Amino acid sequence: MRTLTGLGVSGGTAIGVVALVAPPQPLPDEQPSSDPTADLSRVASALETVATRLDATASLLDGDAADMVAAAAAIARDPGLLEAVGTHLSTMGPAHALHAAVGGYAEEFTELGGYFAERVTDLLDVGARAEALLLGRPMPGVPELHGPSVVIAHDLAPADTAVMDPAFVVGIVTEAGGRTSHTAIIASQRGIPAIVQAKGALDIPDGVRVGIDGDTGELVLDPDEAWSTAREEKQLARARISQCSGPGATSDGHHVLLLANIGNAADAELAGAADVEGVGLFRTEFLHLSATQAPTVEEQAAEYVRVLTPFGDRPVTVRTLDAGADKPLAFADLGPEPNPALGRRGLRLMVEREDLLDDQLTALARAAAETGALVKVMAPMVSTAREADWFTRRAHAAGLPVAGVMIEVPAAALRAHHVLRVTDFASLGTNDLAQYTMAADRMVGELSALLDPWQPAVLDMVAAACEGGSATGKAVGVCGESAGDPLMALVLTGLGVNSLSMSVQRVPMVRWALSQHTAQECVQLAVAARSADSAEAALEAVRSTASTELTDLL
């Protein structure tokens, strides 16, 4: 059997036939526009049609998928994009002018990095769809499927991934993308096995039977019966484990809170009905990023009530607005920055715009009072004890008695003893912590190896934060997606993490993994991982020592 190996980003195995997503067709020759006004109107109509269709798609979705597709619709309506098209119409036809404008925007987004870089795939997809309308071509994207299929593409836009039917799409493989790409996030939430960074996958012909393992990153051509049988047995065992319930705990009773990550009220309803112990990360940006003016206290409070209600007396940890130069707000633009990922984002923006923070804290306090919910707030992008103290005092003054910070910056991890003296708890955002520790942009798929949460240097940062928690008696959790990796969950527990927050779908396997190991065994696994000299060696050290009942399923 020929095997290609990429980066597994959504666990599970499946077998299906290849369905290739064809790259965009070359544009036909066009004469320069003879009527720029009319042609600009045609382009505007095509972009609005794309936006309307994306809005319709978003209305059928929930959670991150809906937010991502809605963001693509907003790109299609960006007046700057249409203005850029107009500048090219004196020398190009409408389709070429649109293509040039989209290409220019894509270069700018890539250079800006952060939130903008995350939107490049959306931008290119919007452009390709509008071009198809202008030229009377079929809409690009996933071809019509007639049976269990493994979709293979260079990359996939959220509008394609979000509407995939798991009854037909049994696996997703891309040659681009990374651990935090849209494909990875949506596939994981929908329970579709997925691999990114699978070089050479596009060379596999349509219709070839393949097997995909989203845990190991393996793509196998024409898998034999032994491969198929082994994976089927694994899937059956996983299905049985998914029925496990109850609080998270090691086999000797050491409690580890198992929490959910959510982004809006629809997510809250799903997570509230699941067997989780609360919410470890409620991302509040959805109310702000698409708004032209700041949401009022009343608007925010009403939405927060919808989010809090499904959880009853279970705690809900709310991350205050994580926006700024890399997630621009129309009503809080502090101007361009040369490196947005290191700029005035998160708490740094709130220091500049205290009114936005105060309104959000007031709204959360009102929602907590109305629902009786246990609300904990935490600030993103905290670097110093002074910042932690400033935020904690402000939250307490607003009527929120439990306030903490995100530890995403190495400085905060290294000085956690001091940070946690002045705040109530901390939660580790391992995605950004890895990015800043390893100096590797999350959006550059080629750097995925550096962003591996198994990097010993990243584990050292987690350990430093947990030592600060132990010294001050304050809880330290993890709300990055690494918390949903069963083996990593054992290591994090051994390092001293008190809570693990993840996608709801990942909770049962993590719960079961904890139940198969004692607290001391978790400590030993953590020591083994930190003693390794590479991410690969750290993973292997843990895999070779953990329970074989667990590793046989991974």
Side-chain angles (χ1 to χ4, degrees):
M1 297 183 300
R2 180 185 168 206
T3 301
L4 299 180
T5 303
L7 182 66
V9 293
S10 179
T13 61
I15 294 175
V17 297
V18 170
L20 286 176
V21 177
Q25 301 177 48
L27 295 178
D29 292 336
E30 282 185 323
Q31 295 297 317
S33 176
S34 59
D35 188 345
T37 300
D39 283 337
L40 188 61
S41 179
R42 287 182 59 210
V43 174
S45 178
L47 287 170
E48 179 55 35
T49 298
V50 170
T52 300
R53 292 179 179 180
L54 290 172
D55 282 339
T57 299
S59 69
L60 301 174
L61 304 170
D62 52 41
D64 286 338
D67 295 340
M68 290 175 185
V69 176
I75 288 175
R77 292 192 174 101
D78 185 342
L81 178 59
L82 191 60
E83 182 179 344
V85 173
T87 65
H88 293 288
L89 282 173
S90 61
T91 57
M92 301 177 183
H96 282 266
L98 173 60
H99 190 79
V102 168
Y105 254 47
E107 289 179 6
E108 291 179 14
F109 280 20
T110 300
E111 290 175 2
L112 287 170
Y115 176 84
F116 288 101
E118 291 177 357
R119 302 272 81 81
V120 169
T121 300
D122 305 23
L123 173 63
L124 297 177
D125 180 62
V126 163
R129 290 169 186 266
E131 287 171 17
L133 289 171
L134 287 170
L135 298 170
R137 290 177 171 177
M139 198 61 62
V142 179
E144 185 177 354
L145 307 176
H146 302 284
S149 304
V150 175
V151 173
I152 298 181
H154 173 72
D155 203 356
L156 287 168
D160 289 324
T161 312
V163 296
M164 288 181 177
D165 184 351
F168 288 100
V169 180
V170 297
I172 299 171
V173 180
T174 65
E175 287 195 338
R179 296 180 185 277
T180 59
S181 66
H182 293 150
T183 297
I185 294 169
I186 296 176
S188 177
Q189 291 179 343
R190 306 203 70 194
I192 301 174
I195 302 171
V196 299
Q197 290 292 310
K199 304 304 181 185
L202 284 171
D203 296 331
I204 304 173
D206 255 322
V208 171
R209 182 172 171 271
V210 295
I212 177 175
D213 190 325
D215 296 297
T216 64
E218 290 182 331
L219 178 65
V220 180
L221 279 68
D222 195 20
D224 60 22
E225 186 174 346
W227 191 94
S228 303
T229 300
R231 267 59 185 186
E232 288 173 3
E233 291 175 351
K234 181 194 288 190
Q235 290 294 85
L236 288 173
R238 281 173 169 262
R240 289 193 295 271
I241 287 169
S242 69
Q243 303 305 311
C244 294
S245 61
T250 59
S251 60
D252 54 345
H254 174 68
H255 185 207
V256 181
L257 281 165
L258 297 182
L259 309 168
N261 292 342
I262 64 173
N264 55 34
D267 287 353
E269 291 176 8
L270 293 173
D275 187 12
V276 296
E277 297 174 74
V279 172
L281 173 63
F282 167 34
R283 303 178 295 270
T284 57
E285 290 76 58
F286 75 102
L287 270 175
H288 298 76
L289 289 178
S290 60
T292 57
Q293 57 186 11
T296 65
V297 170
E298 291 72 23
E299 290 170 337
Q300 292 186 66
E303 193 65 24
Y304 297 150
V305 167
R306 291 181 60 203
V307 170
L308 297 175
T309 299
F311 294 99
D313 59 358
R314 290 175 287 177
V316 177
T317 305
V318 181
R319 183 179 70 190
T320 56
L321 186 59
D322 187 12
D326 68 330
K327 296 179 187 174
L329 297 176
F331 49 86
D333 184 4
L334 300 182
E337 294 182 330
N339 193 338
L342 302 180
R344 290 175 292 179
R345 52 170 292 203
L347 186 65
R348 299 171 182 180
L349 172 62
M350 296 300 98
V351 171
E352 301 272 356
R353 289 292 307 273
E354 295 180 8
D355 58 310
L356 296 179
L357 177 62
D358 290 342
D359 281 355
Q360 185 172 31
L361 294 175
T362 299
L364 284 166
R366 286 186 187 178
E370 181 174 337
T371 61
L374 173 55
V375 175
K376 304 162 66 177
V377 293
M378 60 184 180
M381 202 65 179
V382 169
S383 301
T384 68
R386 178 174 292 180
E387 290 174 343
D389 183 58
W390 181 85
F391 172 78
T392 303
R393 290 177 182 274
R394 212 167 190 93
H396 289 171
L400 294 162
V402 185
V405 299
M406 293 281 291
I407 293 183
E408 307 160 285
V409 179
L414 294 172
R415 302 288 290 180
H417 290 71
H418 300 267
V419 169
L420 282 164
R421 284 178 191 159
V422 297
T423 195
D424 300 323
F425 71 95
S427 185
L428 289 147
T430 50
N431 292 340
D432 268 336
L433 185 61
Q435 173 177 232
Y436 293 131
T437 299
M438 305 304 294
D441 191 330
R442 287 169 53 183
M443 297 313 301
V444 180
E446 291 76 12
L447 299 180
S448 290
L450 289 175
L451 292 165
D452 192 327
W454 288 96
Q455 287 286 354
V458 177
L459 296 178
D460 286 347
M461 290 294 174
V462 176
C466 290
E467 288 168 7
S470 177
T472 57
K474 305 291 178 62
V476 175
V478 169
C479 59
E481 282 304 313
S482 65
D485 176 341
L487 289 176
M488 178 58 76
L490 299 176
V491 170
L492 295 173
T493 298
L495 290 173
V497 166
N498 308 108
S499 64
L500 300 166
S501 189
M502 65 205 79
S503 300
V504 170
Q505 295 87 344
R506 295 180 177 233
V507 171
M509 180 62 80
V510 170
R511 178 186 288 117
W512 187 78
L514 288 170
S515 73
Q516 302 302 300
H517 299 80
T518 66
Q520 184 57 38
E521 286 171 340
C522 291
V523 171
Q524 293 167 354
L525 292 173
V527 170
R530 291 185 67 196
S531 299
D533 60 4
S534 69
E536 295 80 7
L539 173 57
E540 182 53 37
V542 172
R543 183 181 284 274
S544 64
T545 307
S547 158
T548 56
E549 288 84 357
L550 172 62
T551 56
D552 285 348
L553 298 179
L554 303 176

